[in-house]
Amino acid sequence: MKKLVIFDLDGTLLNTIADLGNACNYALRTLGFPEHALPTYRYMVGNGVRKLIERAVPDADEETVERLLSLFREYYGEHATDHTSPYEGIRDMLVKLHENGVALAVATNKYQAAVDRIIPHFFPDIPFVAVMGQVEDRPVKPDPSIVFAILNKYPTPKADVLYVGDSAVDMETARRACIESVGVTWGFRPVSELRGAYADHIVSATTEILSIAGIPQ
């Protein structure tokens, strides 16, 4: 049985795309840039909010990016939970993992202030051993530094760790950290991306994660 399961957040535990898209569109609208349809944000998110802004306005200079970032954070800080919700089966899966002695952690490129608001809102009763987002002194995924930070906080042999995410960024993060990966099909990216990123497992239901983690069904 695995001893630690590390989860990505956006597109893995929570469907956040509407709130992320609305926040970005607010920033774009405020500065007079064209907005994007919400479904297109599925392919813009995943590498942190700065990269999201740069993808939304590819020709923006650094000053404009900073203004857009500020506006995004202003809006998202107030509306991060408006339309966001856990995916089906997520809460039950987390509870069952915990009840079976598996430690739980979150590793996300979402900036830490947003993570610190969202996780307690949606999972107030889940005792994560680490909840880590993007901070200034740590590179974003797929750099594996965030995984190493979690393992430093909760030491666990890599063979006993599972990493779960919905994108190539996540699969590459797990590969660079030398831990087993699980790609989920309910997130923001297609199955073809997970296959192309050499996911060790690809699942379409949370019960499959339990099985891979060694939890009896």
Side-chain angles (χ1 to χ4, degrees):
M1 189 171 69
K2 295 296 183 182
K3 296 179 180 178
L4 171 65
V5 181
I6 302 173
F7 292 93
D8 172 51
L9 183 57
D10 301 280
T12 301
L13 295 179
L14 297 174
N15 185 352
T16 56
I17 203 66
D19 288 326
L20 290 169
N22 286 338
C24 194
N25 279 341
Y26 166 80
L28 297 175
R29 184 169 62 249
T30 301
L31 294 190
F33 290 103
E35 299 177 40
H36 297 282
L38 291 182
T40 65
Y41 281 106
R42 295 166 62 93
Y43 295 93
M44 295 186 193
V45 300
N47 297 89
V49 65
R50 178 176 292 275
K51 183 60 69 174
L52 167 59
I53 296 297
E54 291 172 351
R55 288 169 176 161
V57 190
D59 297 328
D61 59 26
E62 183 62 25
E63 180 182 354
T64 302
V65 169
E66 290 297 333
R67 292 176 65 194
L68 289 167
L69 275 170
S70 178
L71 289 164
F72 177 98
R73 292 182 184 228
E74 171 190 313
Y75 185 96
Y76 197 66
E78 295 294 326
H79 300 279
T81 61
D82 286 1
H83 304 287
T84 291
S85 62
Y87 288 101
E88 181 179 356
I90 289 294
R91 179 176 296 281
D92 290 344
M93 175 196 65
L94 294 175
V95 168
K96 190 152 191 178
L97 286 168
H98 173 64
E99 288 177 346
N100 281 270
V102 180
L104 307 169
V106 172
T108 173
N109 280 341
K110 184 186 291 292
Y111 59 96
Q112 190 69 51
V115 178
D116 290 342
R117 181 184 175 206
I118 288 174
I119 289 293
H121 180 87
F122 289 104
F123 305 112
D125 55 337
I126 303 298
F128 292 103
V129 297
V131 177
M132 296 192 178
Q134 187 268 324
V135 293
E136 287 299 322
D137 59 347
R138 185 170 59 228
V140 297
K141 300 183 294 183
D143 186 287
S145 295
I146 193 169
V147 173
F148 298 150
I150 290 171
L151 295 181
N152 185 59
K153 184 173 182 179
Y154 191 83
T156 309
K158 289 184 180 182
D160 297 328
V161 180
L162 201 62
Y163 183 100
V164 182
D166 72 306
S167 71
V169 168
D170 294 307
M171 301 307 99
E172 177 70 7
T173 302
R175 188 187 68 78
R176 292 189 190 185
C178 299
I179 59 177
E180 192 173 351
S181 64
V182 178
V184 304
T185 63
W186 56 76
F188 299 158
R189 301 299 176 86
V191 174
S192 58
E193 179 172 311
L194 299 172
R195 290 197 185 108
Y198 304 104
D200 293 315
H201 310 273
I202 297 176
V203 304
S204 57
T206 55
T207 52
E208 295 177 81
I209 297 174
L210 293 172
S211 296
I212 295 168
I215 305 301
Q217 301 297 296

